[in-house]
Amino acid sequence: MVSNTPAAPHPHGPTLLPPLRLSQHLLVWGWYLSLALWVTYPLITNLHTHLPAIPGEAGHDVWQHVWNFWWVQQALVVQPSNPFQTDMIFYPHGTALWLHSLNLPLAGPALLLLPLVGQTATYNLITLLALVLAGYSTFLLAHYVIRAALPATPPTSITAGAVVAGAVVLCSPQRLWELRLAQLAGISDFAIPLLMLTLLWALHRRTWGAAWLVAGVVLIGGLSKWYNLFYAALALLPLLTVRLWTAGRQGTLRAELWQWARLALTSMIILAPFLIPSLREARTASFDVPTVRGADLLRLVVTDWQWVLRPVPPEWWEPSAFAGLALLLAAVGVALARRAVILWLVIGLWCFVLALGPTLNFGMREVAFPLPYAALQALPLVELFRVPYRMNAITTMMLAILAAAGIALLLQRGPRPVAWAGAVGLSLLLLAEAARIPFPQTAAAVSPFYAQLGAEPGAWSIIELPHERMDRQFLEMYTQTYHGKYILTGKTSRDPPRLPHEAIPALARINRGDPRPDIVQLGSATEAQIWQALRPRYLVLHRGRRTIRQHAAAQAILGDLTRVYSDTMLEAYRIEAMAAWLDQQPERVPLPVFVGLDRDWENLEDGASRWLLGAQTATLLAYTPEPARLTLDLTMYALATDQSIEVWLNGAYVQTLSVTADELRRYRTAALALPAGQSRIELRVLGAGTVPAMRGQGDDPRPLAVNVRGVAVRLLSP
């Protein structure tokens, strides 16, 4: 039982952990687990069959997070290798995963669960663990802060307040909203309150051991998600400012600077093996969401109360940041504790302002009013962190501390049963405000064909078409966890340099269900080398309007196909020529240099030609396994009037080609220096084009400018 006698002040500050028995810590864990089970209900009843996410595109990240645990198991247990590098996706080029949110701290317990309960149940249990850890780590921080700021407060009321603090974070609307969107890495931020806790303790202890403990927590936060360290660093700026200012007034500035330098040094040492390659990857990875998303001022507090007592539809979501009760309890804490919690109020306000992003947002509309985050965007690497609204997760943690202080002071004169009843009652009210039941679920089942593939030995890939189906990258990663074979696609936290397999001419022809030759001319030897480099044994066609034509095109291009599986969703074929070659267990064949068409070209015309329209940009995707120099031979003519075409390479201007009207000629580009991997070669038409329908030359309403009949690659010596 917790003593109600206030603890005596300690010369080095409070102890790191609350003075509770192990059974009491386990009781707190059990309470948070109960809350987690309620806010995710009925997940616990479908532990082996469903995953917590809005069905469809909104929750597609769930497939990627399941893949993360599978891949870590493959890399660390099945075939030991570097988990931050893989060729299982984006085969055969592969990709680095230093910037990808593998969530290694939670992958550790996942490795223990996978062989015991299976993949789906493991993911669900880890999700519950992430919620519990968020609550428990906040409990520890709040307990420490109140013991330090209000040492005369009885331990029972401190513990009761800290329990509510954990519930504020665990049941926060923003956290549950992100979980509905399958943002497991986003809610795995338990290291942030742990970092604040160990940092405060280390600043009191002033030892190297304490500094190394902080560094260990920093590593956990970074390996969960690099965002965590960025957000934590911003949140700690007010603490650093206050301590340096106080030390300056007391004449201990040098000693204080040394403490912070020691903490920074140990953290950088332990982070360096992971941070250095991550920064190197950041120079090559692109960002698929260039916009910065700040918090919306009209969506800060839960307002949709109609669903508290009514079942919510699976697609429901409300992007609110805070619970009204949490704000009320925080206000009570500020009113009662005043100066004791002023630092945490300042940190909370600072994080809230940063969460608004570079400009104000009202109802999804931006207002041209610059905010502090706009200045941060000028700093190096800040572009990596595109969602400042997530700073409100730390704002919620600060609200939790303020609420804990107020509750501790309110309950300090009452008996222990009242304190515990207050903690339980307030936690349940927070649960009632934020929980929306039933929590959305996505069925975890896949076609039996993928497990069938998993039982077949060999190192080869499968190709799935069409390329345009929704969430293709995520779903192929998920099904890979069943079959374990290479896939050509994938999705990581950043878009890495990769093989543009969709542009491979033969594969593009199969995908559109049209075996006719296209304008890109690779040659039979180059095409054969590409197929051998890809090593496809099976072709999977997901049923749709082009399935029959895709099958016919595949037979025309790949030869004999044997159907090995069929159901209402897909049909699968063994590529006999490739299977016979793979059965010989050949060595890997390198990819050759090739060029293909991106999706911004007009449709293929009869006679293997494509039109460039007036003022249009059409893109060629080139792949080179290593840096190379080449030229392109473009066979084309302009319609009616001469045209000018600018050639751009990876966003840089190269030259302008003058194309003669109505005269089919071959035009050779200047030498193009391509880096290893994918390059984009843009052909930008400067003229307006001619509309045949307006000239009485047919009914084509398009502004036709240049007709391209052929694209050939000519390699140059280095």
Side-chain angles (χ1 to χ4, degrees):
M1 183 174 294
V2 179
S3 170
N4 230 23
T5 304
H10 193 279
H12 297 295
T15 57
L16 180 63
L17 297 177
L20 304 174
R21 295 194 300 270
L22 176 61
S23 60
Q24 293 167 325
H25 282 280
L26 293 177
L27 187 62
V28 174
W29 267 75
W31 178 240
Y32 290 148
L33 177 59
S34 300
L35 295 178
L37 292 173
W38 272 111
V39 296
T40 59
Y41 186 82
L43 181 63
I44 189 61
T45 65
N46 300 310
L47 207 60
H48 293 272
T49 59
H50 288 74
L51 297 165
I54 295 176
E57 187 175 8
H60 58 200
D61 280 356
V62 71
W63 312 121
Q64 183 189 78
H65 291 304
V66 173
W67 182 89
N68 287 345
F69 294 150
W70 172 84
W71 167 244
V72 173
Q73 182 189 43
Q74 297 297 308
L76 298 184
V77 178
V78 179
Q79 294 180 331
S81 58
N82 179 5
F84 294 102
Q85 183 69 44
T86 182
D87 62 358
M88 294 302 297
I89 57 177
F90 302 118
Y91 184 81
H93 187 279
T95 185
L97 298 173
W98 295 102
L99 287 177
H100 181 59
S101 299
L102 279 177
N103 208 347
L104 283 179
L106 289 184
L111 292 181
L112 301 176
L113 291 171
L114 280 168
L116 299 176
V117 299
Q119 180 171 273
T120 303
T122 292
Y123 181 86
N124 291 330
L125 292 174
I126 293 301
T127 298
L128 294 172
L129 177 61
L131 291 173
V132 172
L133 285 173
Y136 182 69
S137 59
T138 305
F139 165 81
L140 295 178
L141 174 61
H143 208 293
Y144 182 95
V145 169
I146 299 173
R147 281 183 287 136
L150 303 169
T153 308
T156 299
S157 57
I158 292 177
T159 302
V163 167
V164 176
V168 167
V169 170
L170 191 157
C171 299
S172 70
Q174 179 169 306
R175 185 170 302 274
L176 298 181
W177 168 53
E178 293 219 335
L179 182 56
R180 298 176 84 90
L181 299 180
Q183 298 297 311
L184 179 61
I187 69 168
S188 300
D189 55 359
F190 59 91
I192 294 179
L194 290 182
L195 173 58
M196 293 183 175
L197 168 65
T198 54
L199 178 63
L200 292 172
W201 181 73
L203 289 172
H204 280 294
R205 298 291 297 178
R206 298 176 179 268
T207 64
W208 280 101
W212 283 110
L213 177 61
V214 173
V217 176
V218 167
L219 180 63
I220 291 173
L223 293 182
S224 296
K225 193 176 183 70
W226 288 116
Y227 278 75
N228 291 337
L229 298 188
F230 177 68
Y231 297 150
L234 292 178
L236 290 171
L237 286 178
L239 174 63
L240 173 63
T241 302
V242 168
R243 289 192 63 95
L244 293 181
W245 180 75
T246 304
R249 294 188 62 187
Q250 296 175 348
T252 59
L253 181 59
R254 180 176 297 180
E256 185 69 20
L257 287 172
W258 165 240
Q259 296 307 316
W260 286 91
R262 175 160 52 187
L263 292 168
L265 177 62
T266 53
S267 297
M268 292 305 299
I269 289 174
I270 204 168
L271 277 179
F274 305 93
L275 188 58
I276 292 174
S278 297
L279 294 175
R280 188 180 302 120
E281 184 184 343
R283 295 201 303 267
T284 60
S286 61
F287 309 100
D288 56 350
V289 184
T291 56
V292 174
R293 291 172 286 171
D296 193 321
L297 285 174
L298 298 185
R299 296 185 175 183
L300 292 178
V301 184
V302 174
T303 57
D304 195 355
W305 290 89
Q306 63 172 316
W307 302 109
V308 172
L309 299 176
R310 293 171 52 192
V312 298
E315 68 278 5
W316 178 92
W317 59 284
E318 182 185 25
S320 303
F322 311 116
L325 180 57
L327 292 171
L328 177 61
L329 293 174
V332 171
V334 173
L336 296 180
R338 295 187 179 90
R339 295 183 61 183
V341 294
I342 187 64
L343 172 62
W344 307 101
L345 174 62
V346 171
I347 293 176
L349 292 173
W350 166 243
C351 292
F352 172 71
V353 171
L354 291 178
L356 295 176
T359 56
L360 287 176
N361 287 272
F362 287 92
M364 306 298 289
R365 293 181 300 174
E366 287 193 7
V367 178
F369 185 84
L371 295 171
Y373 195 89
L376 290 176
Q377 288 183 294
L379 300 177
L381 300 178
V382 172
E383 63 178 354
L384 289 169
F385 308 101
R386 302 156 295 165
V387 281
Y389 75 82
R390 285 180 173 158
M391 286 292 294
N392 273 333
I394 304 182
T395 305
T396 301
M397 295 171 190
M398 300 305 101
L399 291 176
I401 293 174
L402 300 176
I407 293 168
L409 292 175
L410 281 175
L411 299 176
Q412 64 180 335
R413 300 186 185 280
R416 292 193 188 99
V418 172
W420 294 124
V424 170
L426 289 172
S427 296
L428 291 177
L429 287 175
L430 289 163
L431 170 70
E433 182 178 0
R436 297 295 182 265
I437 305 299
F439 198 84
Q441 299 178 91
T442 296
V446 299
S447 170
F449 172 68
Y450 295 109
Q452 177 182 320
L453 283 184
E456 191 170 341
W460 35 267
S461 70
I462 66 171
I463 293 177
E464 302 195 49
L465 299 176
H467 290 148
E468 302 83 9
R469 67 188 186 280
M470 187 177 69
D471 295 336
R472 166 198 169 216
Q473 303 98 319
F474 297 94
L475 290 170
E476 287 198 34
M477 291 177 73
Y478 180 62
T479 56
Q480 186 182 56
T481 66
Y482 286 83
H483 61 68
K485 307 304 179 183
Y486 299 115
I487 60 175
L488 309 188
T489 186
K491 184 65 177 177
T492 59
S493 300
R494 299 291 182 268
D495 281 344
R498 66 178 184 91
L499 168 71
H501 67 276
E502 299 93 341
I504 294 174
L507 189 54
R509 286 152 57 198
I510 296 174
N511 182 60
R512 69 173 185 266
D514 185 354
R516 294 178 299 166
D518 210 327
I519 61 174
V520 175
Q521 303 158 7
L522 293 184
S524 57
T526 300
E527 288 201 353
Q529 185 177 349
I530 290 174
W531 287 116
Q532 291 179 349
L534 297 181
R535 302 173 73 90
R537 190 180 188 91
Y538 290 97
L539 174 66
V540 178
L541 301 179
H542 293 262
R543 295 191 184 277
R545 58 185 177 84
R546 298 202 309 265
T547 304
I548 295 176
R549 290 189 288 117
Q550 286 173 335
H551 175 253
Q555 279 193 314
I557 293 171
L558 296 172
D560 291 341
L561 302 176
T562 301
R563 188 163 70 178
V564 296
Y565 182 85
S566 179
D567 61 25
T568 58
M569 301 300 295
L570 61 84
E571 52 189 50
Y573 298 88
R574 183 171 57 247
I575 307 170
E576 295 298 346
M578 290 301 304
W581 180 74
L582 288 165
D583 286 341
Q584 302 172 22
Q585 298 183 346
E587 296 291 330
R588 289 197 177 188
V589 175
L591 273 166
V593 174
F594 71 86
V595 170
L597 306 181
D598 203 358
R599 297 179 182 178
D600 52 4
W601 286 78
E602 292 296 298
N603 291 334
L604 181 66
E605 306 280 340
D606 292 335
S609 70
R610 289 181 184 260
W611 283 102
L612 298 178
L613 305 184
Q616 179 194 10
T617 297
T619 307
L620 296 166
L621 298 179
Y623 177 82
T624 53
E626 56 187 25
R629 295 175 68 250
L630 56 82
T631 62
L632 295 180
D633 286 344
L634 305 172
T635 303
M636 54 189 176
Y637 70 89
L639 180 64
T641 59
D642 293 351
Q643 292 284 352
S644 296
I645 297 179
E646 290 183 346
V647 180
W648 292 67
L649 173 62
N650 294 328
Y653 172 78
V654 176
Q655 68 178 129
T656 299
L657 298 174
S658 297
V659 184
T660 305
D662 301 323
E663 181 181 350
L664 186 64
R665 291 178 50 188
R666 179 177 297 173
Y667 298 85
R668 179 164 293 171
T669 67
L672 305 174
L674 274 60
Q678 175 181 308
S679 292
R680 297 177 61 86
I681 304 171
E682 294 179 339
L683 305 179
R684 302 183 180 181
V685 180
L686 301 183
T690 300
V691 180
M694 296 179 63
R695 297 169 60 95
Q697 299 176 348
D699 57 0
D700 195 330
R702 297 174 297 170
L704 307 181
V706 176
N707 186 264
V708 182
R709 295 294 182 93
V711 179
V713 177
R714 181 171 173 266
L715 284 173
L716 304 177
S717 57

